[in-house]
Amino acid sequence: VKVLYYIKWGNHLKVCPQGFSCCTLEMEEKLSQQSRTDLKAPVHQLSSNLQNTFTQRTRHFDQFFRELLSNAEKSLNDMFVRTYGLMYVKNAELFKHFFSELRRYYSHGSNAVNLDDMLADFWTDLLERMFRLVNVQHEFSDSYMECVSRHMEQLKPFGDVPRKLRLQLTRSFIAVRTFTHGLALMPEVVGKVSTVSSSPSCVRAAMKMLYCPYCSGQVALKPCKNYCLNVMRGCLANQADLDTEWNNFLDAMLGLAERLEGPFNFESVMDPIDVKISDAIMNMQENSIQVSMKVFQGCGQPKLNEAFRTRRSPKDSGFPGRFRPYSPDARPTTAAGTSLDRLLTDVKKKLKHAKKFWSTLPDTVCVGERIAIGNECWNGTAKSRYESVVIGNGLANQVSNPDVEVDITKPDMVIRRQIAVLKEMTSRLKAAYIGTDISFVNEDAGSGEESGSGCDSPPCDSDGDIYFSTPAPAKPRVIKIQADKQPSSGTRLAPFSLALAVTALLLALLTPHMR
């Protein structure tokens, strides 16, 4: 039988109530050290669970997006090899560079790659290569090809595919990259702010709540729930102030997740990207005669290739094949063994569950076996009902906390910095929601320069499938075309309206012969 010997010793205890006690001053100090650990343990467990949840989701999303890019590149390569053979192989570095730049943007952002410029360069380079191939009987100088490139917007050799694909790629890449950054930020913030205050007043309050019943011989007595809430709200006062920006951040994440499910769906853009590029190339093939005539009219008549005259053969004329119809069965397997919809459904549940995490943390801790309900509980001085009012969350409310002394004039600067980080990330998420990329500080030295094409909310909301939908007629931009002087030709560029009329007449005359 274990016997407790009570010692009556004036004012020997610093924390627990005076009177009969089985604790010495040394025992109280040891229990005070233990209370510091016991106070942090449940908060550490809850925050670690939150960290692990979103660390895992970040890894899943990142793996999915990278594999989807690799699958799209492989699919395009396989399709083009089957269709064009050696002709594609000789120009494969253009497409390899295209996907390499997309990966670089995803990894490093607009400081490394400007998506608009990269896509413009891709189509310009593709036009120059194809123009030479469909006009292999001519010689073209570098200055002549510069003239061709300058008139690309008016020529529209690839139809409307470049404009549509640019809008799709920029919006979806900005969205997925910002969303993944948001997921990665969550465990970082949690790790930096989840440490419970170890101030003397907080440790003293924890010792009084958890172990003073031991010193009075009531080892099994648990603290009253409201008493526990006041102690935890005092010790977690700064964390509670994080809650407003935390919830704003989560709302922005959920909003962007909905965009990724709809008009900014990365999977629906990348999966058929080879088909979209093939459509552009076929458009160039089908309109190569008209495009060439417009170029010759605007940039001058090029020289004939003398070498071509002597070794002309059917193999020397243009692209050798056309694309086969798109077959869904030929698509690569789903990236990372899942789909974007499944990933988003899962992460949205986790994001919603994480809302109000910091303001409800004291309530989450003060449950179950850690507290006692009713009057049979420890109220800080005895086994009785806890009479004090439960105070609110946040630093400002602690001025009236009856159990923890909190200096409301000294906020936790680590937590204040994380509040600012969340605000900044929320702004980026809201920008990504409308298709705009705000450069990250660590990538662009805080310049705040924007990149990407962007879009306003109404067009984004109304365009569910921008690739296959019919765009509204746009007011054409009028661009003055300056002629490039060609040494081999004394012709100057006629007004463009006249060029179109001449081209139409020539086409009408040549069409019966071509058939």
Side-chain angles (χ1 to χ4, degrees):
V1 178
K2 188 174 182 179
V3 180
L4 295 175
Y5 293 92
Y6 284 83
I7 305 172
K8 187 177 182 181
W9 193 291
N11 297 324
H12 70 289
L13 298 181
K14 294 182 179 180
V15 179
C16 295
Q18 305 301 314
F20 288 104
S21 176
C22 60
C23 291
T24 62
L25 183 58
E26 292 76 15
M27 290 174 63
E28 191 181 51
E29 289 176 354
K30 289 181 179 180
L31 290 172
S32 180
Q33 294 175 4
Q34 182 62 38
S35 68
R36 185 194 304 263
T37 302
D38 292 348
L39 180 67
K40 293 181 179 181
V43 176
H44 175 74
Q45 181 181 359
L46 291 166
S47 59
S48 293
N49 290 341
L50 189 63
Q51 275 184 294
N52 293 336
T53 294
F54 287 99
T55 297
Q56 186 182 54
R57 267 64 187 181
T58 303
R59 187 169 59 251
H60 287 169
F61 269 86
D62 183 64
Q63 180 185 5
F64 176 81
F65 293 140
R66 291 182 186 276
E67 286 192 19
L68 199 60
L69 267 171
S70 296
N71 286 351
E73 182 176 15
K74 182 180 183 301
S75 177
L76 182 142
N77 183 74
D78 292 345
M79 174 187 278
F80 279 46
V81 167
R82 289 195 309 269
T83 305
Y84 291 134
L86 185 60
M87 189 70 71
Y88 163 69
V89 172
K90 289 180 179 179
N91 295 277
E93 80 279 358
L94 171 63
F95 301 93
K96 184 177 181 180
H97 179 72
F98 172 75
F99 283 99
S100 175
E101 289 296 276
L102 290 179
R103 286 192 188 88
R104 207 154 66 90
Y105 174 79
Y106 176 73
S107 298
H108 304 291
S110 56
N111 189 46
V113 178
N114 184 298
L115 283 179
D116 281 349
D117 291 347
M118 186 275 286
L119 291 169
D121 291 344
F122 168 76
W123 292 112
T124 298
D125 197 353
L126 183 60
L127 171 62
E128 292 181 4
R129 292 170 188 245
M130 288 195 66
F131 188 77
R132 290 180 186 273
L133 287 170
V134 299
N135 293 283
V136 69
Q137 71 274 22
H138 293 288
E139 286 185 2
F140 300 102
S141 65
D142 291 341
S143 60
Y144 193 96
M145 295 311 299
E146 288 177 5
C147 177
V148 175
S149 299
R150 284 199 301 272
H151 301 155
M152 183 172 177
E153 184 175 346
Q154 290 161 314
L155 294 170
K156 293 191 182 301
F158 302 113
D160 207 28
V161 174
R163 183 192 69 83
K164 291 178 177 179
L165 192 58
R166 178 188 64 84
L167 190 56
Q168 285 183 308
L169 282 173
T170 51
R171 298 196 314 190
S172 61
F173 263 84
I174 289 167
V176 299
R177 186 169 185 277
T178 308
F179 190 78
T180 306
H181 268 262
L183 288 176
L185 179 66
M186 294 181 69
E188 291 180 14
V189 171
V190 173
K192 291 176 180 177
V193 306
S194 59
T195 301
V196 183
S197 172
S198 57
S199 65
S201 62
C202 189
V203 174
R204 179 185 177 91
M207 162 63 195
K208 188 176 180 181
M209 178 179 73
L210 297 173
Y211 291 111
C212 281
Y214 285 50
C215 293
S216 64
Q218 304 175 88
V219 179
L221 191 61
K222 302 292 182 180
C224 302
K225 180 171 183 177
N226 288 350
Y227 177 33
C228 177
L229 286 174
N230 275 345
V231 171
M232 294 307 299
R233 288 184 179 183
C235 294
L236 295 169
N238 282 284
Q239 282 85 348
D241 285 344
L242 188 77
D243 212 51
T244 298
E245 278 311 318
W246 176 262
N247 293 335
N248 290 340
F249 162 77
L250 293 177
D251 285 337
M253 286 287 289
L254 287 166
L256 192 54
E258 292 179 0
R259 281 291 205 226
L260 286 169
E261 288 177 317
F264 295 2
N265 191 302
F266 185 77
E267 189 172 22
S268 67
V269 173
M270 291 309 303
D271 193 40
I273 195 169
D274 51 356
V275 177
K276 296 174 183 179
I277 294 176
S278 81
D279 286 344
I281 294 175
M282 283 193 290
N283 192 82
M284 172 67 180
Q285 285 181 285
E286 292 169 356
N287 297 284
S288 59
I289 295 177
Q290 295 93 318
V291 170
S292 297
M293 292 180 67
K294 288 180 182 179
V295 171
F296 296 161
Q297 182 68 36
C299 297
Q301 188 68 30
K303 291 181 179 180
L304 286 175
N305 188 337
E306 296 297 331
F308 177 81
R309 289 181 176 180
T310 61
R311 56 179 178 82
R312 185 171 183 179
S313 69
K315 293 183 178 179
D316 294 324
S317 58
F319 273 35
R322 296 179 61 84
F323 280 91
R324 300 172 185 176
Y326 165 63
S327 172
D329 296 335
R331 306 303 302 172
T333 56
T334 305
T338 185
S339 69
L340 184 58
D341 286 342
R342 285 199 292 270
L343 287 174
L344 288 170
T345 298
D346 170 69
V347 81
K348 282 167 63 179
K349 291 179 182 177
K350 303 300 181 184
L351 290 169
K352 291 175 183 177
H353 185 71
K355 293 191 73 172
K356 298 185 179 180
F357 176 81
W358 303 107
S359 61
T360 60
L361 195 51
D363 301 82
T364 309
V365 171
C366 297
V367 293
E369 297 180 353
R370 298 191 188 101
I371 54 98
I373 305 296
N375 297 329
E376 299 293 315
C377 58
W378 175 254
N379 66 4
T381 57
K383 181 181 180 180
S384 182
R385 183 182 181 84
Y386 182 75
E387 300 293 344
S388 298
V389 176
V390 178
I391 56 146
N393 286 298
L395 190 62
N397 286 319
Q398 305 314 306
V399 67
S400 57
N401 194 313
D403 300 296
V404 186
E405 294 180 9
V406 181
D407 188 349
I408 64 171
T409 65
K410 295 181 179 179
D412 187 313
M413 296 312 297
V414 172
I415 292 178
R416 299 294 149 174
R417 281 194 293 271
Q418 294 309 303
I419 290 175
V421 168
L422 287 172
K423 283 183 178 180
E424 184 180 5
M425 190 68 225
T426 300
S427 297
R428 292 169 184 154
L429 291 164
K430 289 180 177 179
Y433 183 85
I434 59 172
T436 303
D437 180 15
I438 301 179
S439 299
F440 286 77
V441 171
N442 62 340
E443 296 167 348
D444 203 7
S447 68
E449 182 181 349
E450 296 181 2
S451 68
S453 62
C455 62
D456 297 324
S457 295
C460 293
D461 287 331
S462 61
D463 194 0
D465 189 343
I466 191 165
Y467 186 72
F468 294 104
S469 61
T470 302
K475 184 178 180 180
R477 290 194 294 169
V478 179
I479 301 175
K480 294 181 179 179
I481 303 176
Q482 299 297 328
D484 279 15
K485 294 182 179 179
Q486 298 294 320
S488 61
S489 173
T491 60
R492 292 181 59 87
L493 185 67
F496 202 67
S497 59
L498 178 60
L500 288 175
V502 172
T503 300
L505 179 60
L506 288 172
L507 283 174
L509 295 172
L510 290 173
T511 299
H513 299 286
M514 289 189 292
R515 290 180 179 176

